[in-house]
Amino acid sequence: MTDVKPETIEKLRDVSVATLATALFKRGLRRQVIQDVRPVQPKGRNMVGPAFTLRYIPAREDRNQLSEFRRPDHPQRHAIETCPEGHVLVMDSRRDASMASAGDILITRLMMRGAEGIVTDGGFRDAMCIGALEMPAYHNRPSSPTNLTNNEAIAINEPIGCGDAPVFPGDILVGDDDSVIVIPAHMADEIADEAVEMTAYEDFAIEQVRNGETIIGLYPATKEENLDRFKAWRQKNGR
């Protein structure tokens, strides 16, 4: 697992998933945005942290009774109690939102243990309560049936797929009020640096567009004069 610098985490708090997707696209990575996943409730700030994973498989009736939840080593419960502080719990729920990946009691416990956030490509039960929590949470849609209905929690902290995106333990998850993206850990530092630069230019460009400028030659910057104007804008705005 690659260690990501704390300053990289902080840089990623101020860039959008869209900008990060473009930075990764330049490097040939095109499937890093987790599909059909959205915030339970927008928080107006980014979720950023290393991935800690939980994988579900299709349920088999002889194995998935309510008594399973009494086991202290049940993988879903164990993941909640072992996810490290500052990490994002990411769940491969087989893109099936017909049953819940977790509910508000477990997710509240995760928050109280210091997790950065939680992501599933399935659904959450008690979604209104989860949305009211301070910790960011992302899912496909609200879903009330217990996860035992169609899924069995089977493995913790191994590579998974979430919303068609590959997620390896320690990869950096960034979620904004639109969606969630997965940054390979070994790329996180350079992606963060580039995204900060891209964000500064995007802020400059949107200001020019609001002032009536054409996007031709501005976005992308194909005219040298726009790069000169951007440099002056950065100095003026301390960017």
Side-chain angles (χ1 to χ4, degrees):
M1 187 181 299
T2 302
D3 289 330
V4 176
K5 296 183 289 189
E7 53 265 36
T8 294
I9 298 293
E10 293 310 309
K11 289 175 183 177
L12 292 169
R13 295 194 187 281
D14 296 317
V15 298
S16 71
V17 168
T19 296
L20 293 167
T22 300
L24 288 166
F25 182 89
K26 292 178 182 178
R27 291 160 174 80
L29 278 73
R30 303 186 176 196
R31 301 182 64 87
Q32 299 305 114
V33 174
I34 297 177
Q35 296 299 307
D36 298 320
V37 164
R38 54 197 59 86
V40 177
Q41 182 171 304
K43 300 301 182 186
R45 59 181 174 84
N46 281 8
M47 172 193 75
V48 186
F52 184 82
T53 65
L54 171 65
R55 181 168 64 88
Y56 287 95
I57 63 171
R60 200 175 76 188
E61 287 77 5
D62 65 320
R63 292 175 56 92
N64 279 262
Q65 306 300 318
L66 284 173
S67 58
E68 288 297 307
F69 287 154
R70 295 179 179 273
R71 291 171 39 209
D73 63 344
H74 182 270
Q76 183 206 42
R77 268 55 179 171
H78 192 57
I80 294 292
E81 294 292 344
T82 58
C83 179
E85 184 176 352
H87 283 55
V88 177
L89 178 58
V90 190
M91 295 184 280
D92 172 4
S93 296
R94 306 188 301 115
R95 296 195 68 167
D96 187 352
S98 67
M99 91 306 291
S101 302
D104 67 328
I105 295 176
L106 270 65
I107 294 176
T108 299
R109 172 60 178 162
L110 185 70
M111 179 184 72
M112 297 305 295
R113 293 192 59 255
E116 173 70 13
I118 186 168
V119 180
T120 179
D121 57 4
F124 289 134
R125 67 198 311 187
D126 316 307
M128 288 187 294
C129 298
I130 293 167
L133 296 175
E134 182 180 348
M135 186 182 73
Y138 295 79
H139 70 167
N140 177 266
R141 62 171 173 83
S143 183
S144 295
T146 173
N147 69 84
L148 297 170
T149 307
N150 286 333
N151 272 346
E152 177 180 348
I154 198 71
I156 294 173
N157 221 30
E158 62 178 31
I160 62 170
C162 185
D164 289 339
V167 185
F168 290 81
D171 282 350
I172 302 302
L173 274 288
V174 180
D176 61 14
D177 284 348
D178 285 340
S179 54
V180 181
I181 195 166
V182 185
I183 305 174
H186 69 278
M187 291 186 178
D189 294 339
E190 65 177 277
I191 291 292
D193 288 342
E194 181 171 335
V196 168
E197 293 299 306
M198 291 171 65
T199 298
Y201 187 82
E202 289 164 358
D203 289 347
F204 162 75
I206 194 66
E207 184 176 302
Q208 305 314 304
V209 170
R210 286 173 176 162
N211 288 334
E213 294 280 349
T214 176
I215 59 170
I216 306 303
L218 173 68
Y219 187 74
T222 56
K223 291 184 178 180
E224 191 66 31
E225 64 189 73
N226 284 323
L227 293 175
D228 291 339
R229 292 168 60 203
F230 171 55
K231 183 177 180 180
W233 178 89
R234 292 192 82 170
Q235 291 175 340
K236 178 181 177 181
N237 292 278
R239 298 289 297 274

